[in-house]
Amino acid sequence: MKILLVTTGLGMGGAERQICDLADEFIRQAHSVTILCLNSRHEVSPKSTQVTLHSLSMSKTPWGMVAGLVHAQALILKIRPDVVHSHMFHANIFCRVLRIMGAIPKLICTAHSSNEGGLWRTLVYRVTHPLASVNTIVSSAALRSFVDLGVVRKANQMVVIGNGIDTHRFKYSLSARKLIRSQADLLDDNIFILSIGRLEEPKDFATLIDSFHLLTLSSAKSNQSFVLGIIGQGSQLNELRQLVNSKGLGRQIQFLGVQHNTEQWLSACDIYVLSSKHEGLNVSIMEALACERTVVASDCEGVRELVANKDLIVPVGDSGAMAKALEQAASRSLHSDCRISRVMIEEHYSIICVVDKWLEVYER
């Protein structure tokens, strides 16, 4: 099967990494895969050299949109894909408009977030919804949000297909744990908390930093020593650094930038934490669970579908509740829960399982 995956870009986000993982697995199953990016960001890429990458480098102008549509149509006429599968808001709208031009025989549009933007985006999404052959979303909770926001009128207008991860890559490794903790100058008794994500407002790292500050205050009388590592980059880096310094946490919070060996960092940590305001189905939580890590998370969309221990799910934006959950996670032995969580990920969210679901949709 010839598959064209269309994405806004290939930045460091979970949706972009998902696209690369899908491409690799499609190739492994002997399909032909091309990825078309609307912009020129290529911070992640598939491992397979058999995946063909194209970039439109579109400018954010009406002429840039028209030129992009013309170039995309020419590409589609050249490769003749059996299915076009777009991901995220801009690529979804772009491909729906492109389909009006008659270039796409079958179009699958996937939403990766529960909140695609304001009223204007909601209206555009609703009006163009019928132009796709199938519209999908990554979690049941995100679908409920789409219905509540009026993006779609009924839940049966979209199909839920979750994200998938490489469970062979993401698994606990004692050797990786020792290596990373040594490189990061972590002591044996340091409780290492890790978070991964774009340093942007929806990820709400400010609340995470506030909760970590409360955690260090409450643990001052105990022998527990906490360190927080944040993997990612984004426009809020300087603002978050200032917040860390204002609370005197410069030695305890590490901004780790972009890391391409996140599976090793997950093995090195003791607790994984998510503080997002909105999600679809967070890939990093799935990767942490596959590495048998304890997860503390804000109660955003998709989290309850993944995290079994509901005591470790806290209200969005509640730094006090998150601090208490982190303290609880650090003081309890949850190894059996972690092993059960890995089995759940293997059975329902492995990339092989998810690709099989996509192929069923493509072949309808």
Side-chain angles (χ1 to χ4, degrees):
M1 181 180 291
K2 293 181 181 179
I3 302 168
L4 175 61
L5 302 175
V6 184
T7 173
T8 305
L10 288 176
M12 287 300 297
E16 293 89 340
R17 289 189 290 124
Q18 179 68 187
I19 293 164
C20 292
D21 288 345
L22 289 173
D24 283 330
E25 183 58 25
F26 285 136
I27 289 292
R28 194 189 70 80
Q29 297 192 23
H31 299 284
S32 172
V33 182
T34 300
I35 296 179
L36 175 62
C37 299
L38 303 190
N39 63 35
S40 57
R41 289 185 67 186
H42 281 182
E43 295 167 4
V44 296
S45 61
K47 294 179 181 178
S48 175
T49 57
Q50 296 181 52
V51 178
T52 303
L53 293 175
H54 290 274
S55 176
L56 296 178
S57 300
M58 280 175 51
S59 61
K60 296 181 179 180
T61 64
W63 169 245
M65 177 72 166
V66 171
L69 288 168
V70 171
H71 290 149
Q73 184 181 36
L75 176 65
I76 290 172
L77 292 174
K78 178 181 178 181
I79 65 176
R80 299 288 181 179
D82 297 299
V83 63
V84 176
H85 187 174
S86 61
H87 296 259
M88 298 180 288
F89 177 81
H90 292 94
N92 287 341
I93 300 304
F94 180 87
C95 286
R96 289 172 180 180
V97 174
L98 188 61
R99 199 176 193 207
I100 297 174
M101 299 167 64
I104 300 176
K106 181 178 290 186
L107 175 61
I108 314 299
C109 293
T110 295
H112 284 264
S113 175
S114 63
N115 188 345
E116 295 283 23
L119 181 60
W120 171 245
R121 285 194 178 190
T122 297
L123 180 61
V124 171
Y125 232 97
R126 184 191 303 161
V127 170
T128 61
H129 182 90
L131 294 172
S133 307
V134 180
N135 289 284
T136 77
I137 196 164
V138 294
S139 72
S140 297
L143 176 55
R144 288 192 292 272
S145 292
F146 262 42
V147 174
D148 292 343
L149 292 169
V151 179
V152 294
R153 292 181 173 84
K154 297 179 180 180
N156 62 7
Q157 292 179 299
M158 300 189 82
V159 177
V160 176
I161 298 181
N163 293 321
I165 65 166
D166 183 348
T167 53
H168 297 292
R169 175 187 172 193
F170 287 93
K171 60 183 178 181
Y172 177 74
S173 168
L174 179 58
S175 60
R177 178 179 176 85
K178 290 179 178 179
L179 175 64
I180 295 297
R181 290 181 74 94
S182 174
Q183 293 176 348
D185 295 323
L186 293 168
L187 302 177
D188 289 342
D189 62 348
N190 287 152
I191 298 173
F192 183 35
I193 302 170
L194 183 67
S195 190
I196 302 172
R198 293 175 293 107
L199 305 184
E200 306 293 349
E201 190 268 341
K203 301 300 182 182
D204 201 12
F205 281 108
T207 289
L208 174 57
I209 292 168
D210 286 341
S211 67
F212 185 79
H213 182 226
L214 294 174
L215 176 65
T216 58
L217 293 176
S218 66
S219 63
K221 296 180 181 179
S222 68
N223 294 323
Q224 290 180 312
S225 174
F226 292 94
V227 176
L228 172 62
I230 299 175
I231 291 176
Q233 61 183 8
S235 63
Q236 286 195 319
L237 176 59
N238 291 334
E239 179 183 337
L240 294 172
R241 284 190 186 278
Q242 291 175 5
L243 178 61
V244 167
N245 292 333
S246 71
K247 295 181 180 298
L249 296 172
R251 292 185 177 181
Q252 293 166 279
I253 297 181
Q254 303 175 9
F255 289 95
L256 301 168
V258 174
Q259 299 291 334
H260 295 287
N261 59 337
T262 52
E263 71 279 9
Q264 294 183 320
W265 283 93
L266 287 167
S267 288
C269 79
D270 301 291
I271 302 168
Y272 182 80
V273 60
L274 177 81
S275 54
S276 295
K277 296 179 179 178
H278 302 286
E279 289 287 347
L281 188 69
N282 186 264
V283 172
S284 292
I285 281 187
M286 297 161 65
E287 293 168 346
L289 293 172
C291 291
E292 301 181 41
R293 302 297 86 192
T294 298
V295 171
V296 172
S298 56
D299 196 4
C300 57
E301 294 81 4
V303 167
R304 289 185 177 271
E305 296 174 36
L306 297 172
V307 179
N309 190 337
K310 301 304 185 278
D311 292 340
L312 301 182
I313 301 175
V314 303
V316 171
D318 192 332
S319 56
M322 179 162 284
K324 290 179 181 178
L326 289 169
E327 188 172 21
Q328 177 183 347
S331 62
R332 292 174 55 190
S333 177
L334 300 169
H335 296 305
S336 60
D337 290 348
C338 293
R339 285 192 292 271
I340 293 171
S341 293
R342 175 170 174 83
V343 172
M344 180 271 294
I345 294 294
E346 287 177 320
E347 291 180 350
H348 300 287
Y349 297 103
S350 73
I351 193 67
I352 296 174
C353 174
V354 170
V355 159
D356 287 344
K357 293 178 182 178
W358 282 124
L359 291 174
E360 288 181 10
V361 172
Y362 294 171
E363 292 168 358
R364 288 179 186 173

